Amino acid sequence: MIWVINIVGFLLVAVIVWWFWLYKPARTAVTKEKPLVILLENGVYQPAHIQLPANQPVALEFFRKDASPCAEMVIFPALDISEELPVNKSKTVRLPPLPVGNYEFHCQMRMYRGELTVA
Ligand SMILES: [Cu+2]
């Protein structure tokens, strides 16, 4: 019987390792030619993980379907950008050319969360 417990324990460790170290959420790429609409609905940005080219200005289009005040602002703290998002309309947020790195964005209460990967 002890081997069953060993296997279960090993699988548990494998899942934990995968989740915390190996799992990388899929990213959606944005380029100048291929703009992207980010939907705000049910407490999540869709997509929330976005890949951008470095050193190029890029525009993101936010479409807020969530009327709750939580979704009202989108904030890019590292970039000093905060924009108000109208309900059921799209709003373009222009980003300056960015150096390589990760930049998070979120609503004012940090319930909506997303991340830009600039590469
Ligand atoms: Cu919020």
Side-chain angles (χ1 to χ4, degrees):
M1 269 316 274
I2 197 84
W3 63 272
V4 175
I5 294 164
N6 282 339
I7 288 174
V8 169
F10 175 79
L11 289 177
L12 212 62
V13 169
V15 167
I16 289 167
V17 166
W18 176 79
W19 180 253
F20 286 99
W21 287 283
L22 304 179
Y23 174 68
K24 296 257 191 307
R27 297 191 188 107
T28 309
V30 184
T31 60
K32 256 187 184 168
E33 299 74 37
K34 193 165 132 259
L36 177 76
V37 179
I38 300 162
L39 215 62
L40 282 83
E41 201 177 14
N42 303 324
V44 286
Y45 294 117
Q46 297 172 45
H49 295 269
I50 299 158
Q51 184 153 356
L52 305 177
N55 307 312
Q56 269 185 50
V58 169
L60 298 176
E61 207 171 305
F62 285 86
F63 194 99
R64 175 182 166 201
K65 280 195 172 176
D66 184 349
S68 79
C70 177
E72 196 173 26
M73 301 287 292
V74 62
I75 298 164
F76 295 78
L79 312 178
D80 231 359
I81 293 174
S82 72
E83 293 278 352
E84 205 171 310
L85 305 175
V87 181
N88 281 322
K89 277 191 190 134
S90 66
K91 164 101 186 200
T92 303
V93 176
R94 290 179 198 290
L95 304 178
L98 297 172
V100 170
N102 289 325
Y103 304 85
E104 57 165 9
F105 58 99
H106 52 74
C107 70
Q108 67 270 47
M109 285 152 274
R110 290 173 168 265
M111 284 137 146
Y112 278 87
R113 286 158 167 278
E115 191 182 44
L116 305 175
T117 300
V118 179

